């Protein structure tokens, strides 16, 4: 053990749990040997030591599945290389369902697993009873069994990674609490530990439940908070099989695993208890502590457990455990560089799956530090999916009462959280509500998802089949094509640059040729150095050397971070997202409606597609852009916040003469797919390039600028891409039969050739529509002559390739 803490190092990892040790190992393994781990107490203290240690290979996305699979493979490999046991007991994992919705969810998981070569067996209740007679299967419909899953010893995994990290050259110091994170000019410069300063270039905060308050001291927003987590360990059970798999009884919110002849029973309840609710502070000395027993809270779940495992009725409880685990607003991990301080990375918020993901998130974090970007779709884990308010106690403490339960709750499509709502409401929120808006959350904003018809309840009825909002989406999409639809686009991310160098800077970070001409709107991408698509956006010239950048609502912090990273330091990027409301007025009657409230010339010759200008509406200056994400003639109206309610009500009033309808985000998503428009985060990400995605038209051949990613694109263009974007429709199409989402396997005959990225039902064309990526080994002619299928819930459905978008309206010349 090295005793003297060095005065300087390249990277300081804060936290010596499974995550911190994994980060240190991977950094050193990949070549950055100059790594120091600072553990405030002892390795595993905090949360790691009391984890249940479950490991599962399948995650909700491709990137997360890779992380989990890698973690398990790494532990197996390191056990041999460093001669230390991870305590792996891979008896498999059985997930059971007793409701139809849960059964559909499990079948979808089993279907998706095939994309990643994960062995999954679908079992009926009789097979479950035969294989595991200890289980009461009376109410069970069926289950899925993953033979490669199981459990590991949390302490064993941590010390395995620590030993491997030391062998690679990393230094680990216990009893070394970080007292202060030091910065200089907005960049990490060092840390203070035990009164000593360590100079460093990077830090990785892997301090679990302490991360939020450590970040707060440094001015960094880290949205997580600990909740009380409960499990019991029984007295020894006679003849309990040592090969019993981990059993997840999701519908009863319980899990079970064999533990040295005893049974461990844990819960993920729907209404959790925030830890340290009175002080809101995780004590510095809470290293191996436990909370007082709360049997009253646990008892209802124990009753369910006894029903599932009748043997529990006759056995005593040896240990009742209650301890803290931290959870994030969406139960996804926090990774990546924070937007507030350069070279400050996080790797925390594991939401009770730290052992199963520890190896993989350590690898991803190390790669992120060393390359500055990732060529994977990891946005679900990127801390920059959140904003500042997400870490405020008023938000995060309420949310984790719900998000802990999300782990075992139903993962319904389009599900909305109930807690911490109405954080950001629009000036015309009450108007929208009065018209029957069912709200969802988009970047913190309450945004209409659909509008109830004929006095119906504006509330989701969740399902994996027909959606209760389909009649609304049908009306909204049909009316937009026939008349005019009003969409609220306010949550769009909006940034502005004013500088004599602004145009040149944008040319350098955008792939398209940005025009320094007032009113020009350019659709473009921003790339990483390897050609991966980092941002999908529109750049608008507001005035000479004054540009507005518009991108997706969800990517506000991420896009702002990426742009700032590549802008010269003397240029300011101003976030004006909350300064404007945006109304999308789309449909063949949109121009006629606008003409009744504005005297400006709106005809095609004076206001062409892809241009913008100020128009006067009822004495108010409004910036209007002739753009459309729904494939119809239309205008985006940028209205200052104070004027938004007045303009909205004017559009509604005058719109009565043109059969205007309020429209929600479901209608917009359906219509963008009808029009063949891709969505960042679903259909494109850093994992794809523009040639794969069929978006090479956004790469300028005119400008002589070495933009970010240009060199990589030139190499990519010369090579044949592994896969490519494609559109499909189901041969037999009915709404919700099946419900198409994403990550469904696409087949030629019995061979998987790709996966879906988006799915929707088009009411205008009466077709189920699928976007996805397929192997680039087949021409379109071949695909038209082959038997193609998409698999949903273990059922294959015939599909055909769609060579053009469903919608062919030439709205640009109207």
């Amino acid at each position: 053990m090295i005793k003297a803490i060095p005065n300087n190092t390249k990277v300081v990892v804060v936290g010596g749990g499974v995550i911190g040790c994994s980060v240190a190992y991977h950094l050193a393994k990949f070549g950055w040997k100059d790594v120091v781990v600072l553990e405030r107490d002892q390795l595993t203290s905090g949360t790691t030591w009391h984890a249940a240690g479950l490991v599962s290979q399948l995650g909700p996305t491709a990137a997360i599945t890779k992380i989990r699979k890698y973690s398990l493979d790494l532990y197996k490999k390191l056990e041999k290389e460093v001669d230390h046991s991870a305590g792996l007991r891979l008896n498999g994992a059985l997930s059971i369902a007793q409701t139809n919705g849960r059964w559909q969810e499990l079948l979808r998981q089993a279907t998706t697993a095939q994309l990643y070569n994960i062995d999954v067996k679908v079992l009926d209740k009789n097979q479950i009873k035969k294989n595991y007679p200890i289980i009461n299967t009376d109410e069970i419909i069926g289950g899925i069994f993953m033979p490669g899953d199981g459990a590991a010893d949390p302490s064993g995994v941590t010390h395995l990674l620590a030993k491997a990290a030391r062998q690679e050259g990393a230094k680990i110091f216990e009893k070394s609490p970080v007292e202060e994170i030091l910065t200089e000019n907005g960049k990490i410069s060092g840390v203070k530990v035990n009164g000593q300063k360590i100079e460093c270039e990077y830090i990785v905060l892997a301090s679990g439940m302490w991360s939020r308050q450590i970040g707060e001291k440094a001015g960094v927003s880290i949205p997580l908070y600990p909740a009380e987590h409960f499990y019991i360990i029984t007295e020894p059970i006679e003849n309990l099989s040592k090969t019993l798999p981990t059993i997840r009884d999701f519908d009863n919110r319980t899990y079970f695993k064999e533990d040295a002849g005893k049974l461990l029973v844990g819960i993920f309840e729907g209404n959790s208890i925030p830890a340290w609710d009175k002080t809101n502070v995780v004590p510095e000395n809470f290293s191996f502590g436990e909370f007082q027993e709360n049997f009253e809270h646990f008892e209802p779940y124990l009753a369910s457990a006894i029903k599932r495992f009748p043997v529990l009725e006759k056995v005593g409880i040896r240990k009742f455990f209650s301890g803290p685990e931290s959870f994030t607003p969406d139960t996804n991990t926090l990774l990546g560089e924070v937007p507030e301080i350069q070279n400050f990375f996080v790797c925390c918020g594991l939401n009770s799956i730290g052992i199963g993901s520890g190896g993989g998130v350590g690898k991803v974090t190390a790669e992120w530090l060393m390359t500055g970007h990732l060529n994977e779709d990891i946005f679900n884990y990127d801390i920059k999916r959140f904003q500042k308010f997400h870490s405020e106690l008023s938000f995060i403490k309420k949310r984790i009462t719900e998000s802990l339960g999300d782990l075992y709750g139903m993962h319904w499509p389009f599900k909305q959280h109930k807690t911490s709502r109405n954080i950001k409401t629009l000036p015309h929120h009450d108007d929208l509500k009065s018209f029957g808006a069912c709200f969802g959350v988009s970047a913190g904003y309450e945004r209409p998802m659909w509008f109830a018809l004929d006095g119906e309840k504006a509330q989701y009825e969740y399902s994996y089949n027909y959606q209760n909002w389909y009649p609304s989406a049908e009306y909204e999409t049909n009316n937009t094509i026939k008349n005019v639809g009003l969409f609220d686009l306010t949550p769009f991310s909006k940034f502005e640059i004013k500088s004599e160098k602004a145009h040149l800077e944008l040319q350098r970070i955008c792939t398209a040729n940005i025009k320094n001409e007032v009113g020009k709107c350019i659709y473009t991408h921003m790339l990483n150095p390897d050609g991966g698509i980092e941002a999908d956006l529109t750049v608008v010239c507001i005035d000479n050397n004054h540009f507005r950048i518009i991108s997706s609502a969800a990517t506000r912090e991420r896009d702002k971070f990426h742009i700032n990273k590549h802008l010269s330091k003397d240029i300011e990027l101003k976030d004006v997202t909350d300064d404007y409301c945006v109304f999308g007025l789309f449909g063949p009657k949109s121009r006629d409606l606008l003409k009744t409230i504005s005297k400006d010339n709106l005809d095609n010759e004076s206001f062409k597609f892809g241009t913008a200008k100020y128009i006067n509406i009822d004495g108010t200056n409004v910036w209007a852009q002739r753009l459309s994400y729904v494939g119809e003639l239309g205008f985006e109206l940028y209205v200052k916040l104070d004027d938004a309610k007045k303009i909205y009500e004017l559009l509604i009033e005058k719109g009565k003469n043109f059969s205007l309808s309020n429209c929600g985000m479901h209608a917009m998503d359906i219509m963008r797919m009808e029009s063949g428009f891709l969505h960042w985060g679903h259909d494109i990400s850093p994992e794809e390039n523009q040639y794969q995605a069929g978006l090479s038209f956004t790469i300028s051949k005119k400008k002589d600028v070495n933009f970010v990613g240009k060199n990589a694109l030139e190499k990519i263009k010369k090579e044949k891409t592994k896969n490519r974007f494609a559109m499909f429709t189901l041969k037999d199409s009915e709404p919700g039969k099946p419900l198409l989402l994403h990550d469904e396997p696409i087949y030629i005959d019995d061979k998987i050739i790709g996966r879906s990225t988006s799915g929707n039902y088009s009411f205008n064309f009466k077709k189920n529509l699928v976007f996805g990526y397929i192997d680039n080994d087949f021409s379109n002619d071949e695909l038209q002559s082959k038997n193609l299928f998409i698999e949903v819930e273990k059922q294959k459905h015939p599909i055909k390739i769609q060579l053009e978008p469903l919608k062919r309206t030439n709205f640009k010349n109207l």
Side-chain angles (χ1 to χ4, degrees), residues 493-549:
S493 302
K494 304 175 274 289
F495 316 108
E496 291 190 6
I497 300 175
K498 291 182 187 178
S499 168
E500 290 182 2
K501 297 197 300 184
H503 178 246
L504 184 60
E505 292 280 302
L506 287 169
Q507 289 283 66
R508 193 171 50 78
I509 60 177
C510 295
T511 63
N513 187 27
I514 306 303
K515 302 287 181 65
N516 195 10
E517 300 173 26
V518 176
K520 284 290 184 181
C521 305
I522 306 295
Y523 173 59
T524 185
H525 296 110
M526 293 180 180
L527 311 180
N528 62 43
D530 295 321
I533 302 171
E534 291 285 341
D536 179 67
L537 39 85
T538 301
V539 177
V540 184
C541 185
I542 303 282
D543 203 347
N544 191 35
N545 295 318
H546 178 191
F547 296 86
R548 182 177 292 156
I549 300 167

Side-chain angles (χ1 to χ4, degrees), residues 126-137:
N126 295 326
Q127 290 169 306
I128 292 171
K129 188 64 179 177
K130 180 181 176 183
N131 295 341
Y132 314 107
I134 195 172
I135 301 175
N136 174 9
T137 59

Side-chain angles (χ1 to χ4, degrees), residues 545-581:
N545 295 318
H546 178 191
F547 296 86
R548 182 177 292 156
I549 300 167
I550 303 149
S551 66
S552 163
T555 56
R556 178 176 177 178
E557 292 300 325
R558 190 183 187 281
D559 290 347
K560 182 163 50 176
F561 176 85
H562 179 82
I563 297 165
N564 274 322
K565 182 177 179 179
H566 293 284
L567 279 181
S568 298
K569 299 303 176 191
D570 58 342
I571 294 183
E572 181 189 0
L573 180 74
K574 187 179 179 184
D575 188 337
V576 297
T577 301
D578 298 330
D579 296 348
Y580 297 91
C581 283

Side-chain angles (χ1 to χ4, degrees), residues 100-271:
N100 289 328
R102 183 72 69 180
W103 184 229
Q104 288 180 276
E105 182 179 305
L106 293 183
L107 288 175
R108 284 175 179 262
Q109 289 180 13
T111 305
T112 301
Q114 298 167 142
L115 291 168
Y116 313 116
N117 296 315
I118 296 174
D119 186 13
V120 178
K121 302 184 189 312
V122 178
L123 308 177
D124 62 30
K125 65 185 298 179
N126 295 326
Q127 290 169 306
I128 292 171
K129 188 64 179 177
K130 180 181 176 183
N131 295 341
Y132 314 107
I134 195 172
I135 301 175
N136 174 9
T137 59
D138 286 351
E139 297 173 331
I140 292 176
I141 297 172
I144 62 171
F145 179 65
M146 298 190 183
D149 289 2
D153 170 36
S155 179
V157 171
T158 305
H159 287 281
L160 170 74
L161 290 165
K163 187 175 180 181
R166 289 190 184 104
Q167 288 184 6
E168 292 292 342
K171 303 175 182 68
I172 299 175
F173 298 92
E174 298 181 307
K175 302 295 182 183
S176 301
V178 170
E179 296 154 358
E180 188 178 356
I181 293 168
L182 306 173
T183 62
E184 194 172 317
N185 298 322
K187 188 175 182 179
I188 288 294
S189 62
V191 298
K192 277 187 181 176
V193 54
N194 291 334
Q196 174 187 340
K197 178 182 177 182
I198 307 176
E199 294 180 354
C200 64
E201 295 177 46
Y202 299 84
I203 72 161
V204 179
L205 193 62
S207 48
M209 60 184 174
W210 285 276
S211 298
R212 183 191 163 278
Q213 59 202 50
I214 292 173
E216 191 174 41
K217 287 179 185 175
V220 172
S221 171
I222 301 177
L224 57 75
Y225 194 85
E228 296 184 23
H229 183 55
F230 302 88
Y231 61 74
I232 61 167
I233 300 174
T234 69
E235 295 287 353
I237 297 174
E238 190 176 349
N239 299 322
L240 183 66
S241 172
K242 292 190 180 300
T243 60
L244 187 74
T246 298
I247 296 165
R248 295 182 175 91
D249 186 356
F250 289 112
D251 291 315
N252 289 307
R253 297 184 173 275
T254 51
Y255 63 90
F256 309 84
K257 73 163 188 168
E258 190 273 339
D259 188 297
K262 303 175 283 294
L263 204 60
L264 183 150
V265 182
I267 65 171
F268 286 103
E269 68 274 34
N271 187 16

Side-chain angles (χ1 to χ4, degrees), residues 400-514:
I400 63 123
T401 65
E402 181 180 8
S403 62
L404 178 148
D406 285 343
L407 286 172
Y408 275 33
M410 281 296 302
H411 302 101
W412 294 116
F414 319 111
K415 185 179 177 183
Q416 298 290 328
H417 282 108
K418 295 178 180 178
T419 53
S420 299
R421 292 292 295 267
N422 295 311
I423 303 298
K424 295 183 182 182
T425 54
L426 302 168
H428 46 290
H429 178 85
D430 289 340
D431 292 301
L432 294 166
K433 192 174 181 180
S434 72
F435 288 118
C438 178
F439 293 97
V441 178
S442 179
Y445 282 96
E446 294 292 326
R447 187 180 196 181
M449 301 301 294
W450 50 280
F451 288 82
L453 299 172
D454 304 323
E456 292 288 325
K457 228 178 177 184
Q459 186 175 316
Y460 280 102
E461 294 172 11
Y462 295 121
S463 169
Y464 276 107
N465 303 309
Y466 185 93
Q467 301 294 301
N468 74 306
W469 46 265
Y470 274 170
S472 295
E474 180 172 14
Y475 170 69
E476 292 166 22
T477 55
N478 286 344
N479 194 65
T480 300
I481 280 183
K482 293 174 185 173
N483 298 301
V484 58
L486 178 58
F487 296 77
D488 202 295
L489 311 176
T490 301
F492 275 179
S493 302
K494 304 175 274 289
F495 316 108
E496 291 190 6
I497 300 175
K498 291 182 187 178
S499 168
E500 290 182 2
K501 297 197 300 184
H503 178 246
L504 184 60
E505 292 280 302
L506 287 169
Q507 289 283 66
R508 193 171 50 78
I509 60 177
C510 295
T511 63
N513 187 27
I514 306 303

Side-chain angles (χ1 to χ4, degrees), residues 63-106:
I64 294 170
T65 297
K66 287 178 193 173
I67 282 172
R68 294 185 183 181
K69 281 190 73 177
Y70 173 85
S71 298
L72 186 54
D73 292 341
L74 175 70
Y75 303 157
K76 292 176 184 176
K77 180 173 80 81
L78 287 183
E79 279 189 322
K80 298 173 183 175
E81 289 181 4
V82 303
D83 191 27
H84 190 97
S85 174
L88 290 172
R89 298 182 63 237
L90 304 181
N91 295 337
L94 174 67
S95 297
I96 56 179
Q98 67 177 48
T99 63
N100 289 328
R102 183 72 69 180
W103 184 229
Q104 288 180 276
E105 182 179 305
L106 293 183

